[in-house]
Amino acid sequence: MSILFSQVKKGADERKKIGVFQRIIMFFVSHIRQAVGSLGELWRQPMASLMTVAVLGLSITLPGTLYIMVKNIEKMTAGWDQAAEISLFLSPQTSSSSAQQLVARLSTWSEIDSVVYIPADDALEEFKQLSGLGDALAYLPDNPLPNVILVAPATKHTTPRAARALLERLQSQREVDSGKLDIEWLERLYALVNIARDLVFLIGGLLFVSVVLIIGNTIRLNILSQREEILVMKLVGATDAFIHRPFLYTGFWYGFLGGMLAWIAIIAILWWMGASIQNFAALYEKEFYITGLTGSALFTLLGVSVLLGVIGSAMSVHRHVRSIEPS
Amino acid sequence: MISFEEVSKTYPGGQQALVKVDFHIEAGEMAFLTGHSGAGKSTLLKLISIMERPSVGRVLINGHDLNQISRRQIAYIRRDIGMIFQSHKLLMEKTVFDNIALPLVIEGYTHKEISKRVYAALDMVSLSDKAKLYPMMLSGGEQQRVGIARAVVNKPPILLADEPTGNLDPKLSMEIINLFEEFNRAGVAVLIATHDLGLIARMRYRTLTLKKGRMITDGLGGSSGDFQ
């Protein structure tokens, strides 16, 4: 492409024109050439490259691991949400028949999935068997336990908020002395998980910014060390984009290799922690397997890493290549 | 081909490098530009390759006003101007072949075409057997010829040379000038800045003389080239 001599006959003997098709092909060839060249450049300085890749990789490993932990806790507690159950303790003077009437009444409510009535005598019997106190309980003058109704809310009303509203309605029933929702501790856990998730994003954000700055500085040093070459390239007609590309690809490779390192590090950390988490889960007689990086999460991890590398180098390249001008 | 219209250049700090310079070089013409060090020869060449912009006046190439050329377009302008420097400006860690191929790689030629043209350019400067060597392994004259091969490899219509014979003995200098004559016969406009008066006197080409930024003579070498 010539600006000065587009229409006019050339001063020199006619120059072979580069066709549009060849121009497009060569654009990609040139990209591949520069991408491979940048990788080779990293390979020629293995120690320096390795350090940069390690900084990037480890900076992504921390938020990555924390994110997986939060995800797993969310997965683990997701099932518990549905188990929300309301226990209604009936007032002592409620007779067995009025309790039955209440059960019949509650069964018609649309918010309620099922109702189970546990008479005080049955409860005492069950307690006697489970507690191991046995005959000792026989010395009690009378049954201290109230009649209990267990209410399972319909699926739509299992969220903490809806369940709480339902509890309030149930408590206003005449026969009910008090009611208890078994999700208060769950709400606290959710709040904690929320804080943890916010922390992950905060730590991640700070580390990502520092990664961008580190890559930017590394690329800046690369640009300065190739000052002469950039000057000559500008003199013989290289566009800024052409000069930028090798540095952008260097950023790309830093990001890609850093992402791979982070992936390996996360797998190692999960494997190492896996055993202690299994132990912990076993204490609660729960089968629990930690889920690692899924395909899409791995893709996101690599994507974020590559993006950080390219942003860092782009920032540096736009500032510093412009300042190198032949004079 | 190259026109200067009342061009002045004042550097930041007040140093006047060029004052109202006015001349025209035809397509396919060969001319020398001479004067003391600091007379403004390099500045004049830099205005053509847009390494500097004029403070006043216009520089035109092929009728295009260079003041209208944006920063992004400069690269494309330089592809039409072959530049040769006293200091060669070769890349020392690249082979002779890669140095000469650089302008072609930038323009997006195929590998086959690049190889063909680089060897043609090497043949012109008689360095065909040195393609795989590094510039450090060559003599000063050979390095200068590599620089020339790089400047002409994409066949630009304009060739600018800033003191191309500065470090060379008279015999080598003559060889270099003969190379320029060869390109000029092929239709390339050549402008050579030099303070080697002896060389100019022998050549009898048009000579532009600068003194303290002003163009004092414009005529045939030898007859009016005396700026002492």
Side-chain angles (χ1 to χ4, degrees), chain A residues 1-5 11 15-16 18 22 26 33 229 232 234-235 237-240 322 325 327, chain B residues 46 62 64 71 75-76 78-80 83 89 94 105-110 113 117 150 154-155 187:
Chain A
M1 182 156 79
S2 172
I3 293 171
L4 300 175
F5 300 94
R15 294 190 288 172
K16 195 171 174 183
I18 307 176
Q22 190 199 335
M26 287 316 288
R33 205 186 270 165
E229 195 168 342
V232 171
K234 285 197 172 184
L235 282 176
T239 56
D240 280 359
R322 183 176 278 259
E325 279 293 337
S327 61
Chain B
K46 282 176 187 173
N62 200 23
H64 292 264
R71 214 193 89 85
Y76 299 103
R78 290 190 184 144
R79 291 179 189 182
D80 286 324
M83 279 184 273
K89 296 222 195 291
K94 293 220 152 89
V105 172
I106 288 167
E107 278 200 69
Y109 284 88
T110 60
E113 188 74 12
R117 281 170 181 252
R150 185 183 64 192
N154 62 342
K155 301 190 177 162

Side-chain angles (χ1 to χ4, degrees), chain B residues 88 90 92 95-97 99-100 122 127 129-147:
Chain B
H88 324 314
L90 299 177
M92 291 303 161
T95 61
V96 167
F97 182 97
N99 266 288
I100 297 172
L122 276 170
L127 288 173
D129 51 337
K130 309 274 167 99
K132 298 278 176 281
L133 299 183
Y134 289 85
M136 289 303 281
M137 304 167 174
L138 304 179
S139 70
E142 286 171 330
Q143 287 184 13
Q144 190 57 277
R145 271 144 61 195
V146 173

Side-chain angles (χ1 to χ4, degrees), chain A residues 213-259:
Chain A
L213 294 177
I214 289 165
I215 297 285
N217 198 44
T218 308
I219 297 290
R220 182 181 71 90
L221 294 177
N222 284 0
I223 291 171
L224 293 183
S225 75
Q226 288 177 39
R227 204 190 139 77
E228 285 308 308
E229 195 168 342
I230 291 171
L231 278 178
V232 171
M233 293 211 305
K234 285 197 172 184
L235 282 176
V236 298
T239 56
D240 280 359
F242 184 89
I243 297 170
H244 289 175
R245 248 180 267 148
F247 297 109
L248 293 179
Y249 273 115
T250 304
F252 169 86
W253 288 120
Y254 278 144
F256 183 77
L257 295 173

